[in-house]
Amino acid sequence: MSYNNCEVNRLKILVTGGCGYIGNHTCCELLERDYEVVIIDNLSNSKVEVIDKIKDITSKDVRFYKGDVCDKELLRKVFKENKIDAVIHFAGYKAVGESVSMPLKYYRNNLDSTLSLCEIMKEFNCKKLVFSSSATVYGLPKELPIKESFPLSTTNPYGTTKLVIEGILKDLYKSDNSWSIVILRYFNPIGAHSSGLIGEDPNGIPNNLMPYIVKVATKELECLSIFGNDYDTVDGTGVRDYIHVVDLALGHVAAIDKLKKSNGLFTYNLGTGKGYSVLELVNTFKEVNNVDVNYKIVDRRPGDIAKCYADTTKASNELHWHATKTIEDMCRDSYNFVIKNRK
Ligand code: NAD
Ligand code: UFG
């Protein structure tokens, strides 16, 4: 099949977990580029209202199947009713702490959904897949910035599901090299769509830094606990590679472009290549949004590392993608989303 620009954008992409945080931003960017989008999501960590918001932002239609990616009969129905050209597989559980206390839940959902999906893709001869992996597969990196070729290891069941799935996909490609697979290892996605219509909306008390900062700024939570200020970093607090979720979404569009052009199995870091400390993020958030964020320093969180940021050269050279949004954009858009959607 040849792909000129007219054909390209009529491709139909199945997005599993498309109602979730990264999925819904990616659906918007695909629709803006005239891809057709079909979503399957069981709404275990998202709300159906997101579908209307995606339609409002893009003025495009999107087909939604409410259901589980582990349900092979449902997948068959989706593939029968739609000629799917490629799949982006976001669906999965992602809370590190919960994965430690409920490992079976994580292994069952993350592995079963991927196996079921790949089996049905094979059945329908759809062999182009983008998979959501994570920087967590680098475990405790010996050096920085982190390159894709670094050794892999994990420190929790969530991370192990990602590492095992990467291995499954590598074996699948080895067995049949007509597959095209892009594994994307995300660093720390934050921010929200500039419309303020979609963003990160976790239930309960957030585990991650930015949603926690936002809830302290809006006075839903009293005080941010900063986990340690005695790391070997610029100010002693942990350093991470925060990436705007819209930049991340565009990384998926670039991955789809890659799949259209080449067969193979490719792995890329998606980050900005820059690290910011917890205090730098908090201070930027306060300044950009002109709000206060109470915080206190507490003990280190078990399992945390001092610094984590990406070498993004490979994604830049091979996907022709790089992040463009600043830490200020990320802070502004995260807050804007919550302010606009406050009940
Ligand atoms: P999210 O929880 O917001 O989105 C995941 C979506 O998948 C949700 O809408 C949920 O309802 C759905 N889902 C889960 N299991 C399902 C199943 N079996 N069948 C159908 N739908 C199912 O998470 P997110 O932040 O958008 O993350 C998307 C992917 O990226 C996940 O695989 C996650 O592990 C990975 N990832 C996320 C981060 C991050 O910090 N957000 C970092 C690295 C990797
Ligand atoms: N932090 C605090 N207080 C909080 C929450 C976090 O000080 O209430 C600190 C952490 O100690 C760390 C930084 O903020 O230094 C970022 O923590 P997050 O929990 O937001 O993110 P992590 O880097 O720990 O992990 C996230 C995802 C993982 C993913 C990883 C990829 O949760 O699933 O990014 O880099 F693998």
Side-chain angles (χ1 to χ4, degrees):
M1 200 196 286
S2 76
Y3 295 99
N4 60 39
N5 271 342
C6 306
E7 279 173 302
V8 158
N9 297 345
R10 267 186 255 118
L11 293 189
K12 195 174 274 192
I13 314 292
L14 174 64
V15 182
T16 77
C19 295
Y21 173 48
I22 306 171
N24 61 32
H25 288 84
T26 301
C27 289
C28 288
E29 298 308 321
L30 289 168
L31 289 162
E32 301 280 15
R33 284 156 188 80
D34 277 344
Y35 287 98
E36 287 184 54
V37 170
V38 178
I39 294 177
I40 173 167
D41 198 304
N42 63 7
L43 304 178
S44 57
N45 197 35
S46 50
K47 299 189 180 83
V48 70
E49 292 82 67
V50 156
I51 299 292
D52 283 336
K53 293 183 179 176
I54 294 173
K55 290 180 185 171
D56 284 352
I57 290 170
T58 61
S59 306
K60 301 268 172 61
D61 207 7
V62 50
R63 192 156 186 189
F64 174 56
Y65 291 84
K66 178 178 181 303
D68 205 295
V69 184
C70 304
D71 177 350
K72 286 171 74 171
E73 269 322 302
L74 174 64
L75 285 178
R76 257 187 212 106
K77 177 176 152 70
V78 172
F79 275 83
K80 269 187 199 147
E81 291 179 359
N82 304 276
K83 160 103 195 47
I84 302 294
D85 295 292
V87 179
I88 307 181
H89 181 36
F90 292 108
Y93 296 145
K94 63 167 182 177
V96 173
E98 190 186 54
S99 81
V100 175
S101 54
M102 305 172 91
L104 297 179
K105 175 177 168 178
Y106 275 68
Y107 287 117
R108 169 62 64 197
N109 191 46
N110 293 6
L111 297 183
D112 199 356
S113 61
T114 308
L115 290 170
S116 301
L117 177 68
C118 291
E119 283 169 358
I120 299 301
M121 287 178 72
K122 187 167 182 266
E123 209 172 292
F124 285 80
N125 200 30
C126 171
K127 295 183 178 176
K128 295 185 189 302
L129 175 66
V130 179
F131 173 64
S132 297
S133 189
S134 164
T136 194
V137 299
Y138 294 113
L140 301 170
K142 278 203 291 280
E143 268 180 83
L144 290 164
I146 298 173
K147 289 190 174 64
E148 289 83 350
S149 54
F150 277 21
L152 305 178
S153 68
T154 60
T155 53
N156 57 71
Y158 163 71
T160 308
T161 67
K162 295 294 179 191
L163 196 50
V164 170
I165 293 168
E166 288 200 10
I168 292 171
L169 297 179
K170 280 170 196 159
D171 286 341
L172 179 60
Y173 176 70
K174 259 190 240 161
S175 74
D176 173 0
N177 58 21
S178 63
W179 279 82
S180 294
I181 299 173
V182 175
I183 293 169
L184 298 176
R185 295 182 182 147
Y186 313 152
F187 281 67
N188 291 53
I190 58 172
H193 195 269
S194 58
S195 64
L197 288 175
I198 53 173
E200 193 172 15
D201 186 13
N203 293 329
I205 297 180
N207 298 305
N208 297 115
L209 180 59
M210 180 54 94
Y212 208 111
I213 292 177
V214 173
K215 281 195 193 280
V216 174
T218 55
K219 312 265 183 255
E220 272 177 77
L221 292 171
E222 217 169 283
C223 182
L224 169 73
S225 294
I226 296 185
F227 300 138
N229 66 348
D230 55 354
Y231 287 107
D232 180 18
T233 62
V234 59
D235 54 27
T237 65
V239 165
R240 295 292 182 275
D241 186 340
Y242 297 98
I243 174 167
H244 196 293
V245 67
V246 171
D247 277 332
L248 192 66
L250 290 170
H252 293 75
V253 176
I256 292 286
D257 280 344
K258 176 82 183 168
L259 291 186
K260 288 186 312 208
K261 291 182 201 125
S262 0
N263 281 354
L265 184 138
F266 311 95
T267 304
Y268 301 106
N269 286 339
L270 294 186
T272 64
K274 289 190 211 103
Y276 288 93
S277 75
V278 176
L279 275 175
E280 285 173 329
L281 190 70
V282 169
N283 289 332
T284 308
F285 187 95
K286 284 162 65 170
E287 213 172 288
V288 169
N289 296 312
N290 197 21
V291 284
D292 206 12
V293 177
N294 293 327
Y295 67 82
K296 61 180 180 208
I297 308 291
V298 301
D299 287 347
R300 291 181 177 193
R301 182 170 64 178
D304 271 354
I305 56 178
K307 295 184 215 170
C308 176
Y309 52 90
D311 184 321
T312 58
T313 314
K314 194 173 173 213
S316 167
N317 288 345
E318 296 183 20
L319 293 180
H320 312 293
W321 166 92
H322 64 273
T324 59
K325 291 186 184 279
T326 63
I327 198 81
E328 285 82 8
D329 297 329
M330 302 179 211
C331 290
R332 190 196 52 235
D333 291 343
S334 291
Y335 190 55
N336 179 45
F337 168 69
V338 171
I339 293 298
K340 280 208 168 148
N341 293 279
R342 247 197 310 201
K343 279 138 207 147

